[in-house]
Amino acid sequence: AVSLPFAVGQCGNQVGCRFWDLALREHAAVNKKGIYDEALSSFFRNVDTRSGDNGPDIYRGKICSLKARALLIDMEEGVVNEILQGPLRDVFDSKQLITDVSGSGNNWAVGHKIYGCQYRERIMEKLRKTAEHCDCLQCFFIIHSMGGGTGSGLGTFVLNLLEEEFPEVYRFVTSVYPSGEDDVITSPYNSVLAMKELNEHADCVLPIENESLFEIVNKIHQMINSGKLGSAVKQNSLVTSSAGSAKTVPEKPFDAMNNIVANLLLNLTSSARFEGSLNMDLNEISMNLVPFPRLHYLVSSLTPLYTLADVNVPSRRLDQMFSDAFSRDHQLIQADPKHSLYLACALLVRGNVQVSDLRRNIERLKPSLHFVSWNQEGWKTGLCSVPPVGHSHSLLALANNTCVKPTFIELKDRFMKLYKKKAHLHHYLQIDGMEQSCFSEAVSSLSDLIEEYNELDATKGGPRIDASRLKIAV
Amino acid sequence: MSIVTVQLGQCGNQIGHEVFSALCSDSCGTHGLCSKNENQSYQDCCKERFFCEEQSAVPAARAVLVDMEPKVISQALSMAASSGHWRYSSHSHFCQKQGSGNNWANGYCVHGPRHKEAIMELVQREAERCDRLGGFLTIMSMAGGTGSGLGAFVTQCLRDAFPTSFILNHVIWPYGTGEVIVQNYNSVLTLSHLYHSSDALLVHENDVIHKICAQLLNIKQISFRDVNQVIAHQLGSVFQPAHTAGGGSGYSRNPLGDLLESLVPHPEFRMLGLRNIPQMAESSLPYSTFSWPGLLRHLRQMLIANAQMEEGIDWQVRPPQPGSSIPCTNKPLHFNTSIANLLILRGKDVHSVELGSFQDPSLYTSWLNPQDAFTAWKTPRAFNKYEKSAALVSNSQFLLKPLDSIVGKAWNMFASKAYLHQYTKFGIQEEDFLDCFTTLEQVISSYTNL
């Protein structure tokens, strides 16, 4: 089953680039014989390029030329051009790209209304073409940031389009939320306008905050430079590293952070691509983690962040991995799930981990976690046999937890600060199709969402009342 | 007589593969502890029952493999093929690419009707390959989407297409602490539907088997493979050829029929539990000896006290005193009342076994004759390297507590309406849920009032 990623905007494409690079690295590590297999077909087509770039797809046999199943969309050329000139240039062809030159000016309305309208047909056409090459399309991924204009505006436009044209295909969105110190002044406007779209049209959203990625990168730097573990760490095991991938130029500062997001996506899809004793597909993630349609924001964490080179893994280290997955400093947003309320939790384990390890750790950690009353044993688990590159095992935890609330509240506050003063509003309102009501509806949608989380939080720690059962006349 | 096995979903296909492996390795084994003729007869019977001899020397399992994604079936096919002793036929499987998303409604309402023709054609073909069809065994989990939802649909199709054949559903109950968040919904939907189309449900609980792996087999890092192998061993001890009539009049010609006849006297009571003794690590086998009285004493107490395995049995539990009829509310707590029991004994000195303790009327409900309530099959040919082994298939209150727990959790979730939109999207409405809850509360009530 195919997962089709759309990278939209600068951030989306930078992350996307890391994603395909690390995906190739992962498959190369597993697929020693160079045979095009079911696992590869999730993200790549095998094309016979003897007849040029338009060669037919080859469905089995040796790998000829791998092309990523993807759409890269940006209203500026810089990032996409870099990809096309870099080591991944052969993995994409021009038919998968949609670019323009002037950018969206950090304006959601430009991205959504102007470019959306302008590029609608072209996006549809390329989408249909790409979908034709997939024998079974299970899921779309949108990778974008919320704070800018293209990723945020055009990205959510694409989200709408996907729902219209392919209503049965799941829509997962990986959204990078702006921090308080974001240098784009209008990022709160862009984010809140985009949030309304995510509320209404996404099946699952994985929010990411740069601050969290940054802290993880720093943590690893400190650990390596402290001299204690420096040489002992397997370079290619760092969740931030590009080691072993095609990228050979020195890493830019965002590369390390983007690698984390790329690894998130790889781990999320690992059980759909590789075999295991308890498979966990993407449609299962949506089914189990979304109890009510609008509560579809999932906090994610990846562990371990690195692996030591010389290790034989004792189970204590394995258990540490599970503990870390629930700690504040491993979450990819600024949140503390342990002290908030869980609606649902998924654990996707990769590598040499068995069901008894899972059970032992769930038993151990459960007492310190707060689950909503109607889902006290709400765990979704998956076991994938193939570990990520450089590791013997790894864990991806996805939590539907009220700890996302603070992120949304802060976003709303920043929005209101600007909106009250009507700062920069004219840049938006002058766009065709934009009215004041777009703003009020968007912030209202966000407020409603926050209120739903508030109501759930209010039940936390309350007495557990079991609903009375049906009575049968004897 | 032959049994056609239908393996459904990841769990069904993983277990199914282990079952055929276990059957094959036991029947080809040389630890039968009986005459060569007897062994040959056992082998032939097992082969006819579960395998089809084709032109190539390697027998093909009488099985249909169904899954909505390809990886598990593909693994099962290749693992069987590489064993060298048996295989799956190359055209007996059906799979899709997408999976069922742990959604019972998707399995039942969408995949079922969509793929009914293709799946039933495979079943028909397999059934026609049998000289005499003895019935169907389906293997499925009730927690996920395919085994549970599509499995319930296929069971109904089997009932419609083969109205006079026996259908036994082997159902795996998931870990209580969760493998799938909506597992309780899926379980309620599955069990209530199966109750309408199946002859009986033979249940294995993951929690129980896990304990066996940990405490009896001393496995440190328990994998699903370990769990599945224990389940396969237990199923093998039931389904391998056995003498069902008194004396050596040959192996049963109607295994499913014999089993159902002895265990399911009333359609309201179809839940069968399974206990097997002894269970130990293979490495310890050569150092252990067992006596039938010892084994049976443990097994009887496991039955009475509803123990999950032969360690940690509560020996304090006793059956109620015989005499004037006792209203069921006065029965001693924790006592497991039976409707019917089937004891399957295999191995050395099996004919000398004294079984009076299992015929004690106080073990059973008052409305069945103890002679009719208890059946024993004694087979001298030993099973799977165990010099003596006993399996107890029981229609009793074994599953009452776990069932009640599952229904309770599902009901709590239902009361909050969580996840319902995922089911209504594919065609299962709230009223459908209510019907299912009603069916199961009825079953719970019936078993409680034994």
Side-chain angles (χ1 to χ4, degrees):
Chain A
V2 170
S3 305
L4 192 53
F6 290 72
V8 188
Q10 176 178 8
C11 170
N13 278 288
Q14 280 172 342
V15 172
C17 181
R18 299 315 315 131
F19 169 72
W20 279 291
D21 201 3
L22 292 182
L24 282 170
R25 182 181 79 161
E26 180 165 274
H27 283 281
V30 173
N31 189 334
K32 299 291 186 203
K33 295 187 190 148
I35 306 278
Y36 181 69
D37 60 10
E38 194 81 39
L40 265 172
S41 77
S42 294
F43 290 132
F44 298 96
R45 294 162 45 212
N46 189 22
V47 176
D48 182 356
T49 47
R50 283 172 298 178
S51 29
D53 249 3
N54 285 321
D57 278 18
I58 307 173
Y59 296 100
R60 42 185 99 252
K62 276 214 152 286
I63 295 172
C64 286
S65 176
L66 289 175
K67 298 281 180 206
R69 299 183 194 277
L71 278 178
L72 280 62
I73 304 176
D74 202 354
M75 295 296 99
E76 284 173 334
E77 293 181 313
V79 179
V80 175
N81 276 346
E82 224 184 285
I83 295 175
L84 292 181
Q85 282 154 22
L88 291 182
R89 60 181 166 274
D90 292 326
V91 171
F92 302 102
D93 67 53
S94 57
K95 295 200 258 20
Q96 300 168 267
L97 315 171
I98 298 176
T99 55
D100 203 308
V101 290
S102 9
S104 303
N106 286 325
N107 186 328
W108 183 91
V110 172
H112 197 94
K113 304 280 184 188
I114 296 186
Y115 285 125
C117 191
Q118 194 174 329
Y119 284 97
R120 187 183 209 281
E121 283 315 310
R122 213 176 311 177
I123 294 173
M124 272 318 308
E125 189 203 310
K126 290 181 192 277
L127 170 58
R128 281 198 207 108
K129 260 271 141 59
T130 311
E132 261 167 42
H133 288 292
C134 308
D135 59 2
C136 175
L137 189 51
Q138 181 176 67
C139 161
F140 294 119
F141 278 99
I142 295 182
I143 311 171
H144 73 151
S145 76
M146 298 283 277
T150 303
S152 178
L154 188 54
T156 50
F157 180 84
V158 169
L159 180 62
N160 267 280
L161 202 59
L162 293 175
E163 186 176 32
E164 263 175 54
E165 295 290 320
F166 295 88
E168 281 136 36
V169 180
Y170 288 91
R171 295 172 294 283
F172 275 72
V173 187
T174 307
S175 306
V176 180
Y177 281 67
S179 67
E181 298 97 46
D182 198 85
D183 50 9
V184 175
I185 301 180
T186 49
S187 67
Y189 282 163
N190 297 329
S191 302
V192 173
L193 289 164
M195 270 293 283
K196 175 166 180 288
E197 307 298 316
L198 294 185
N199 281 343
E200 292 173 17
H201 305 291
D203 287 310
C204 268
V205 179
L206 300 164
I208 314 268
E209 285 182 275
N210 274 340
E211 282 146 282
S212 300
L213 297 180
F214 191 65
E215 278 167 18
I216 290 174
V217 170
N218 272 346
K219 199 171 142 117
I220 293 179
H221 269 171
Q222 271 171 25
M223 187 266 319
I224 294 183
N225 295 331
S226 70
K228 276 186 275 182
L229 300 165
S231 54
V233 171
K234 283 195 207 162
Q235 279 305 307
N236 63 357
S237 75
L238 297 173
V239 74
T240 50
S241 136
S242 305
S245 69
K247 189 178 173 75
T248 47
V249 294
E251 293 189 15
K252 295 225 235 32
F254 280 115
D255 275 346
M257 290 161 66
N258 292 336
N259 279 335
I260 299 174
V261 185
N263 277 315
L264 167 66
L265 293 173
L266 283 177
N267 286 341
L268 191 63
T269 55
S270 60
S271 187
R273 292 176 288 135
F274 301 116
E275 46 94 15
S277 63
L278 190 58
N279 295 339
M280 179 150 96
D281 224 332
L282 290 162
N283 49 7
E284 292 170 27
I285 291 175
S286 170
M287 172 68 175
N288 284 285
L289 293 174
V290 183
F292 298 99
R294 280 164 46 100
L295 298 177
H296 56 245
Y297 294 87
L298 307 179
V299 180
S300 50
S301 67
L302 289 174
T303 55
L305 300 176
Y306 57 83
T307 295
L308 299 178
D310 56 343
V311 188
N312 239 336
V313 185
S315 80
R316 191 176 49 81
R317 206 175 283 276
L318 188 62
D319 289 6
Q320 186 60 47
M321 174 178 80
F322 280 91
S323 299
D324 287 342
F326 291 89
S327 77
R328 203 181 203 295
D329 55 3
H330 281 77
Q331 307 304 316
L332 299 191
I333 65 166
Q334 300 283 289
D336 188 2
K338 259 186 148 155
H339 292 104
S340 302
L341 187 66
Y342 275 90
L343 303 182
C345 185
L347 299 176
L348 178 38
V349 192
R350 299 181 64 173
N352 183 20
V353 184
Q354 301 302 340
V355 66
S356 57
D357 301 311
L358 252 183
R359 305 246 62 82
R360 178 180 70 247
N361 280 287
I362 289 177
E363 293 299 318
R364 188 174 61 87
L365 293 166
K366 217 164 69 111
S368 59
L369 304 172
H370 307 280
F371 272 82
V372 74
S373 67
W374 41 260
N375 204 5
Q376 291 281 299
E377 276 98 10
W379 296 86
K380 166 66 181 161
T381 56
L383 293 165
C384 173
S385 312
V386 178
V389 173
H391 293 278
S392 58
H393 53 273
S394 76
L395 171 62
L396 164 66
L398 294 173
N400 192 336
N401 186 305
T402 57
C403 67
V404 284
K405 199 176 63 171
T407 300
F408 296 154
I409 291 178
E410 269 173 44
L411 188 60
K412 183 182 165 191
D413 288 345
R414 278 185 252 133
F415 173 95
M416 291 310 292
K417 261 206 184 110
L418 292 175
Y419 191 56
K420 281 204 174 99
K421 298 183 285 186
K422 303 211 190 292
H424 305 283
L425 218 49
H426 57 285
H427 291 303
Y428 293 79
L429 297 178
Q430 73 193 10
I431 308 283
D432 214 9
M434 284 300 288
E435 286 159 15
Q436 193 102 3
S437 59
C438 295
F439 281 83
S440 53
E441 276 165 28
V443 77
S444 164
S445 172
L446 182 55
S447 298
D448 287 344
L449 185 65
I450 292 171
E451 192 44 41
E452 281 187 61
Y453 282 110
N454 275 335
E455 279 171 31
L456 284 164
D457 268 335
T459 67
K460 176 165 165 265
R464 158 109 177 255
I465 306 166
D466 288 338
S468 38
R469 302 261 292 269
L470 295 175
K471 296 242 185 308
I472 302 292
V474 173
Chain B
M1 243 204 197
S2 309
I3 297 175
V4 171
T5 301
V6 184
Q7 305 179 181
L8 296 143
Q10 171 164 26
C11 174
N13 281 290
Q14 280 175 189
I15 290 182
H17 164 261
E18 297 294 349
V19 170
F20 285 107
S21 287
L23 294 172
C24 194
S25 89
D26 169 54
S27 84
C28 301
T30 51
H31 303 263
L33 295 182
C34 59
S35 69
K36 220 163 143 221
N37 278 345
E38 182 79 41
N39 210 29
Q40 187 62 53
S41 173
Y42 185 86
Q43 253 185 35
D44 292 341
C45 181
C46 171
K47 218 176 260 177
E48 200 217 332
R49 200 177 277 189
F50 292 107
F51 298 91
C52 186
E53 205 89 61
E54 297 184 342
Q55 295 94 333
S56 58
V58 181
R62 298 187 191 278
V64 175
L65 292 72
V66 180
D67 202 356
M68 293 296 100
E69 63 112 339
K71 297 195 299 289
V72 183
I73 286 185
S74 159
Q75 256 200 312
L77 291 175
S78 72
M79 279 172 76
S82 59
S83 75
H85 297 296
W86 68 281
R87 62 189 183 87
Y88 285 110
S89 320
S90 36
H91 300 292
S92 287
H93 60 270
F94 178 83
C95 57
Q96 291 293 283
K97 304 265 186 182
Q98 276 247 36
S100 301
N102 286 164
N103 191 323
W104 195 94
N106 194 9
Y108 187 86
C109 305
V110 179
H111 291 310
R114 195 180 282 174
H115 305 301
K116 173 180 174 172
E117 222 179 288
I119 295 172
M120 289 313 288
E121 203 188 300
L122 291 180
V123 172
Q124 190 67 44
R125 213 188 306 165
E126 208 52 58
E128 279 164 17
R129 272 204 269 216
C130 305
D131 278 343
R132 284 171 66 208
L133 178 63
F136 297 96
L137 171 68
T138 74
I139 309 181
M140 60 217 268
S141 114
M142 64 182 192
T146 300
S148 72
L150 180 59
F153 186 85
V154 167
T155 301
Q156 218 165 285
C157 294
L158 288 175
R159 175 54 71 215
D160 293 336
F162 300 89
T164 55
S165 291
F166 296 111
I167 302 175
L168 179 64
N169 291 81
H170 176 236
V171 187
I172 303 295
W173 291 21
Y175 288 96
T177 48
E179 297 170 26
V180 169
I181 293 177
V182 292
Q183 64 187 43
N184 298 313
Y185 279 167
N186 293 336
S187 300
V188 165
L189 292 163
T190 303
L191 291 173
S192 55
H193 276 77
L194 288 183
Y195 232 76
H196 296 306
S197 30
S198 164
D199 287 313
L201 281 62
L202 181 60
V203 174
H204 268 116
E205 300 162 77
N206 275 348
D207 281 304
V208 173
I209 306 297
H210 192 104
K211 261 212 200 116
I212 291 175
C213 287
Q215 295 179 237
L216 296 182
L217 305 179
N218 284 318
I219 302 175
K220 293 277 171 274
Q221 197 190 22
I222 301 167
S223 66
F224 269 114
R225 185 122 202 256
D226 296 317
V227 172
N228 294 342
Q229 284 177 340
V230 172
I231 292 173
H233 169 85
Q234 295 203 349
L235 288 181
S237 72
V238 174
F239 291 115
Q240 283 291 47
H243 295 303
T244 51
S249 52
Y251 293 112
S252 163
R253 304 280 295 159
N254 188 9
L256 284 182
D258 290 337
L259 185 122
L260 292 165
E261 199 188 357
S262 54
L263 287 169
V264 189
H266 189 297
E268 183 65 16
F269 300 89
R270 300 182 210 235
M271 309 263 277
L272 307 177
L274 178 52
R275 298 287 185 265
N276 187 284
I277 193 176
Q279 294 242 220
M280 58 191 345
E282 205 173 298
S283 48
S284 315
L285 267 178
Y287 307 103
S288 318
T289 50
F290 300 96
S291 69
W292 282 119
L295 288 175
L296 292 178
R297 206 172 347 113
H298 276 76
L299 200 49
R300 182 177 183 270
Q301 194 60 24
M302 279 162 71
L303 170 65
I304 294 174
N306 200 353
Q308 295 170 340
M309 55 183 185
E310 61 253 46
E311 262 178 38
I313 303 175
D314 183 353
W315 291 93
Q316 299 303 319
V317 180
R318 294 246 177 283
Q321 294 305 311
S324 50
S325 65
I326 301 162
C328 55
T329 42
N330 285 355
K331 281 226 172 102
L333 282 174
H334 312 305
F335 174 74
N336 183 44
T337 307
S338 301
I339 293 168
N341 287 310
L342 168 63
L343 201 53
I344 306 172
L345 305 173
R346 300 178 186 273
K348 197 163 165 217
D349 302 329
V350 91
H351 289 296
S352 66
V353 179
E354 182 53 61
L355 293 170
S357 61
F358 277 90
Q359 288 163 318
D360 181 352
S362 63
L363 264 53
Y364 298 94
T365 58
S366 50
W367 42 267
L368 210 59
N369 228 326
Q371 287 105 290
D372 301 324
F374 175 71
T375 314
W377 297 351
K378 300 179 186 177
T379 309
R381 203 272 190 192
F383 171 68
N384 204 12
K385 304 182 191 152
Y386 283 85
E387 183 198 66
K388 302 184 179 82
S389 69
L392 172 67
V393 188
S394 178
N395 189 345
S396 67
Q397 293 171 319
F398 260 167
L399 296 161
L400 180 52
K401 256 177 81 186
L403 177 61
D404 187 65
S405 165
I406 288 170
V407 172
K409 290 187 214 173
W411 185 250
N412 259 345
M413 196 179 261
F414 183 69
S416 74
K417 303 211 185 296
Y419 298 102
L420 289 182
H421 72 284
Q422 306 270 17
Y423 290 87
T424 54
K425 162 162 90 174
F426 288 109
I428 295 291
Q429 308 301 328
E430 282 187 37
E431 303 89 69
D432 300 313
F433 270 97
L434 279 172
D435 287 339
C436 295
F437 277 111
T438 308
T439 301
L440 291 183
E441 293 286 9
Q442 181 68 61
V443 173
I444 290 171
S445 170
S446 304
Y447 272 100
T448 307
N449 293 321
L450 282 183

